[in-house]
Amino acid sequence: MRNIFLFIKRYFNFLFFLLLQILALTFLFRYNKFHQAAFSNIAGEVTGRIDEKYNNIQYYFELKKTNEALAKENIYLRGLLRNNYQIPDTARMVVTDSIRVDSLLRYQKYIYYLGSVVGSFTSTQVNYLTVHRGRLQGIHIDMGVVGPLGIVGRVVSVSDNFSVVMSALHKDFTVKAKLKKSGENGPIRWDGIDQRFIQMKDVPKSAAITRGDTVLTSELSSIYPPNIMVGTVESIINDKSSNFYTIKLKTATNFFNVQYVYIIDDAQKPERAQLESELYK
C-alpha cells in the first residue's frame, strides 16, 4: 500500500493530466456529433481488426478438430456412394432408398474406415505408412487405402490398434488402373525415382492419350473400388520395340503430407476368394 501512495505522489502531475485528458475527450466525443461519428468509425475499424486477428488465431488452433470432423463426414459420404453397392442380378433394375440399403447392408460391397497417419516414409525404395487403426477396429491385411485425393497403398501388417500400409511409392506395389476417357487398363508401378510420379504400363498404342488425362482405379482391381483417382498423365513414353505405351503419371495424392486415410474393406472379397480358390485345387 505504501508503494502505491509513493507511486501516486511521484507521478501525481502526470496522472492528473491523464485524467483531465480522458475527461475532456469524453465530453468531446459525447456532445459533439462529428467527433462522435469519427471516433465510432475508428473504434469499429480497430475492433474489427483485433477480432479478425483473434479469429485467425482461433481458427489455426481449431484446424485439427476441423480436419477430424471433415474426415468423419467424408467417411459417411463415401459410404453412400453408388460404387459401394453391387447387386448380383444386374439384368433387372432395383430401386431402393439409400437409407434402407445403408441400414440393411444388403448390397453394400465396400465399407470405409477412418484412420490417422502416425508414421510415414517417402525417401526409400520401400516406403510405408503407419495408421492408428488396427485389428480391434476391423482392419485386416490386403485392404485398400486411399486419401482425400486418391490412392495411398494397401494394408500389409496389422496389430490390435495399428496398421502398416505399403505405400504406392513402394517397388512392390501394383494395382490395376484405367484411362478415364477410353477405358484401357494397365498396371500401376513406381519406378523408384521421383515421389511425385508413378507409371502406368502396358497401355496399348491404339489408346488416344493426351497430357492431363485422368487415370482411375479399374473394375479389375482386387482392393479398390472402381473410379478412385490415381493421377493425371504427365508424359507418354513410346517404346518402339513394343505395341504398348508406358505413361508417366503425376500422383493425385501428395505423399509428403498425408494425415488422414480411408481404409476400404471389400465385404464380398471372401466369397470371391473362396470361389476362385476352388478352381486351383
Side-chain angles (χ1 to χ4, degrees):
M1 183 63 71
R2 180 172 175 273
N3 291 333
I4 295 176
F5 285 116
L6 289 174
F7 176 81
I8 293 174
K9 182 179 180 181
R10 183 175 181 181
Y11 295 101
F12 176 78
N13 292 334
F14 173 75
L15 294 174
F16 185 66
F17 167 77
L18 188 62
L19 179 63
L20 292 176
Q21 190 73 21
I22 293 173
L23 186 63
L25 290 173
T26 301
F27 286 139
L28 176 65
F29 291 123
R30 176 171 294 182
Y31 300 108
N32 189 302
K33 297 296 183 181
F34 173 78
H35 290 89
Q36 185 179 17
F39 176 75
S40 297
N41 290 336
I42 295 173
E45 183 176 351
V46 172
T47 304
R49 290 185 180 276
I50 293 174
D51 287 341
E52 181 182 7
K53 297 296 183 183
Y54 174 77
N55 288 334
N56 288 338
I57 294 172
Q58 187 180 31
Y59 174 77
Y60 175 79
F61 287 105
E62 292 290 332
L63 279 178
K64 183 177 180 181
K65 292 182 179 178
T66 302
N67 287 337
E68 290 177 353
L70 289 174
K72 291 178 180 178
E73 182 180 10
N74 285 337
I75 283 290
Y76 170 74
L77 295 175
R78 284 179 179 271
L80 299 179
L81 290 175
R82 184 178 179 180
N83 287 339
N84 295 331
Y85 299 90
Q86 187 170 0
I87 301 172
D89 185 3
T90 56
R92 61 177 180 171
M93 180 179 293
V94 177
V95 180
T96 310
D97 183 77
S98 61
I99 297 177
R100 180 184 168 207
V101 172
D102 192 47
S103 60
L104 294 179
L105 299 177
R106 186 175 178 183
Y107 303 120
Q108 187 167 3
K109 179 175 171 62
Y110 297 104
I111 302 170
Y112 289 79
Y113 299 91
L114 174 64
S116 60
V117 177
V118 295
S120 176
F121 298 93
T122 57
S123 58
T124 68
Q125 297 288 308
V126 286
N127 296 303
Y128 294 94
L129 300 91
T130 303
V131 178
H132 192 194
R133 177 74 74 167
R135 187 181 299 110
L136 296 179
Q137 294 82 39
I139 309 304
H140 56 80
I141 292 175
D142 280 339
M143 293 174 70
V145 181
V146 301
L149 300 178
I151 66 169
V152 172
R154 66 180 176 89
V155 177
V156 293
S157 181
V158 180
S159 66
D160 284 346
N161 296 292
F162 294 91
S163 302
V164 175
V165 177
M166 177 190 288
S167 168
L169 304 181
H170 189 292
K171 65 182 183 65
D172 294 331
F173 178 85
T174 184
V175 66
K176 282 285 188 179
K178 67 179 180 181
L179 295 170
K180 181 180 180 180
K181 287 199 307 185
S182 54
E184 281 83 1
N185 287 271
I188 295 292
R189 291 184 182 276
W190 184 48
D191 60 4
I193 299 175
D194 192 330
Q195 290 87 345
R196 299 173 300 167
F197 302 100
I198 54 180
Q199 291 186 343
M200 181 178 182
K201 296 181 175 294
D202 300 335
V203 179
K205 291 185 176 179
S206 59
I209 312 168
T210 56
R211 190 173 185 270
D213 283 353
T214 300
V215 175
L216 307 172
T217 54
S218 168
E219 287 79 4
L220 302 178
S221 171
S222 61
I223 60 173
Y224 293 112
N227 303 317
I228 299 293
M229 188 71 173
V230 176
T232 55
V233 175
E234 180 71 16
S235 61
I236 303 167
I237 303 170
N238 185 8
D239 184 1
K240 295 183 179 180
S241 63
S242 73
N243 294 322
F244 299 96
Y245 289 129
T246 295
I247 305 175
K248 184 178 181 181
L249 304 177
K250 185 174 183 180
T251 59
T253 298
N254 183 352
F255 288 90
F256 294 99
N257 63 358
V258 179
Q259 296 180 342
Y260 292 95
V261 293
Y262 307 110
I263 307 170
I264 306 170
D265 184 17
D266 184 347
Q268 297 179 7
K269 188 174 182 178
E271 177 185 350
R272 173 183 169 182
Q274 181 179 359
L275 181 64
E276 292 176 346
S277 66
E278 294 175 356
L279 301 175
Y280 299 100
K281 287 182 179 179

